[in-house]
Amino acid sequence: MAYPSNDLNFSGKDLHLHYICCILLFNLLFADTATLVSNLLLYFLAFLGLRISYYVCGPLILLSVFTITISPLTLAVMSFERFVAVCYPLRHAAIFTMRSLSIIIALVWSFSFIHILIRVFMLLYVFTTISLDLHMNDFCSMEAMFFTPIFNDFEEAYSSILFLSVGVVIFASYIGVALVARSASTDKASARKALQTLLLHLIQLSLILTSTLSSTIITASARGVGRLTLIRIYNVCFVCLTILPRCLSALIYGLRDQTIRPALRQNLCCRLRCSLL
């Protein structure tokens, strides 16, 4: 992100921008880390071949779904913050105060919580209308838990609205900053960094969007392939569409942060040298 330089001569404005960016970045990386941990736990349960009950699998699946929504919403907030910082620099401190930022983050988490509540009510409706064995016949996964067509329809509608809305916010912020960057009175370096950051947000949103395709690919493949092939497809989707995008998110944003970059480079280079020796 477009952080201020890592020196001791921070102005009050630079410090405020830095704190706002760090808080939003922490919220994004915390959500991605929680998603990774919950998905890794589900993967290890499937790898060990443990068959658990629906009542145990349900909370694990809902936890992984809960944090997925937070990342794109946080990207939308980060994009709007960059737009205000470049286009309305004098109003940035008044708009993005610590109180308003706390309210925005609370709204992001509340929106995700409402999404989970809807899924919980849908699960309760399905379990009361369909008689099921308490223990699952397959390993715990989103496809095994949300098996009725109503879940697929809801997921398609929800994901389409969510990613379309976030994409519009990021793209509109990019266009606004690009127009302001043409002005002679605008700080060209700051505007250029903001444009690069917004472009990075679009790429990150695309990576998160690809992770939602994992369930669609697995569901479609299950109809025409054997179990062994399906497990291989599941492993590929898990690594490429679930793990990789969120690992890249932490690495890319960490390298762009000028306060984290030196320590991150030093640790990576040190471990690389040790592995080569």
Side-chain angles (χ1 to χ4, degrees):
M1 298 180 61
Y3 295 121
S5 59
N6 186 21
D7 54 29
L8 298 178
N9 297 321
F10 280 143
S11 64
K13 178 182 176 181
D14 289 337
L15 279 175
H16 180 76
L17 288 172
H18 183 72
Y19 290 148
I20 295 298
C21 291
C22 286
I23 292 172
L24 291 174
L25 179 60
F26 173 80
N27 189 66
L28 176 66
L29 296 183
F30 180 80
D32 286 342
T33 303
T35 303
L36 284 175
V37 171
S38 58
N39 280 279
L40 284 172
L41 179 59
L42 292 172
Y43 183 82
F44 286 136
L45 289 176
F47 178 78
L48 296 175
L50 298 178
R51 305 295 176 85
I52 59 180
S53 66
Y54 281 99
Y55 298 108
V56 177
C57 178
L60 296 176
I61 295 295
L62 292 175
L63 177 62
S64 64
V65 175
F66 173 66
T67 53
I68 290 177
T69 306
I70 296 173
S71 296
L73 292 176
T74 305
L75 287 175
V77 177
M78 294 168 72
S79 301
F80 181 70
E81 185 272 333
R82 288 291 85 198
F83 170 78
V84 174
V86 175
C87 300
Y88 304 97
L90 299 179
R91 300 182 183 179
H92 183 274
I95 296 176
F96 283 93
T97 62
M98 290 300 173
R99 180 180 179 182
S100 63
L101 187 61
S102 301
I103 295 175
I104 291 173
I105 293 176
L107 289 175
V108 169
W109 285 81
S110 300
F111 188 85
S112 301
F113 183 71
I114 293 174
H115 171 225
I116 290 301
L117 280 181
I118 295 175
R119 284 186 175 271
V120 169
F121 290 139
M122 292 171 66
L123 282 174
L124 292 176
Y125 172 77
V126 170
F127 288 162
T128 54
T129 55
I130 300 176
S131 59
L132 294 173
D133 189 5
L134 290 179
H135 287 276
M136 305 181 69
N137 297 324
D138 210 336
F139 56 84
C140 180
S141 64
M142 187 180 299
E143 295 75 29
M145 195 71 192
F146 304 132
F147 54 89
T148 57
I150 187 175
F151 290 111
N152 296 329
D153 297 337
F154 172 76
E155 182 63 26
E156 289 180 2
Y158 177 80
S159 298
S160 300
I161 294 173
L162 174 64
F163 285 98
L164 181 61
S165 302
V166 174
V168 169
V169 171
I170 298 177
F171 186 73
S173 300
Y174 185 89
I175 296 299
V177 173
L179 293 176
V180 172
R182 296 181 178 181
S183 174
S185 60
T186 305
D187 185 357
K188 301 297 183 181
S190 177
R192 184 168 56 254
K193 289 181 179 179
L195 288 174
Q196 293 174 356
T197 300
L198 291 171
L199 184 60
L200 181 62
H201 292 342
L202 280 174
I203 296 174
Q204 181 61 22
L205 180 65
S206 301
L207 291 175
I208 297 175
L209 180 60
T210 58
S211 65
T212 62
L213 300 176
S214 177
S215 178
T216 304
I217 294 174
I218 294 173
T219 303
S221 301
R223 301 169 184 172
V225 299
R227 181 174 178 81
L228 182 59
T229 304
L230 182 62
I231 292 176
R232 292 174 179 173
I233 295 175
Y234 180 84
N235 291 334
V236 172
C237 291
F238 178 77
V239 174
C240 297
L241 301 181
T242 302
I243 299 298
L244 187 59
R246 285 168 175 81
C247 290
L248 288 177
S249 173
L251 181 61
I252 292 173
Y253 284 106
L255 289 175
R256 285 182 60 85
D257 188 341
Q258 296 182 10
T259 59
I260 301 176
R261 186 191 305 169
L264 186 59
R265 284 183 174 178
Q266 182 179 0
N267 290 331
L268 289 176
C269 293
C270 180
R271 293 183 179 182
L272 181 60
R273 291 172 184 172
C274 292
S275 63
L276 292 177
L277 293 176

